[in-house]
Amino acid sequence: MTTINWSKIYSSYKGKWVALNNKETAVLSSGKTAKEAFTKAQKKGYSDPILTKIPKKIETYVGQI
C-alpha cells in the first residue's frame, strides 16, 4: 500500500476533482467535475486513473458512521 502526502495536493487542488496515477500516486489532471478530470487523464494516455475530490476544508472526524 502506498501513502499519499495529501498536504501537497491539498494546497494546489482544494475543492477540485483530481485523477491520480495508481502506480506513481501523482496528480495526472484536475477539474471541476470527476468527468472532466477523468477525460483529461485519458487524453494523456491513462485509461484507469484513481479519482478523488479534494475537500475545500480539512476537518477532523472522530467516530463512527
Side-chain angles (χ1 to χ4, degrees), residues 17 19 29-42 51:
W17 280 91
S29 61
S30 66
K32 291 182 181 181
T33 65
K35 184 176 181 177
E36 181 182 359
F38 184 78
T39 301
K40 287 179 181 180
Q42 281 189 317
L51 295 172

Side-chain angles (χ1 to χ4, degrees), residues 4-50:
I4 299 171
N5 182 348
W6 290 103
S7 62
K8 293 178 182 178
I9 295 171
Y10 175 76
S11 62
S12 298
Y13 300 101
K14 62 183 173 181
K16 294 183 180 179
W17 280 91
V18 295
L20 303 170
N21 182 333
N22 61 4
K23 294 178 184 174
E24 299 171 15
T25 63
V27 175
L28 305 172
S29 61
S30 66
K32 291 182 181 181
T33 65
K35 184 176 181 177
E36 181 182 359
F38 184 78
T39 301
K40 287 179 181 180
Q42 281 189 317
K43 287 180 181 178
K44 291 181 178 181
Y46 297 94
S47 61
D48 195 23
I50 297 169

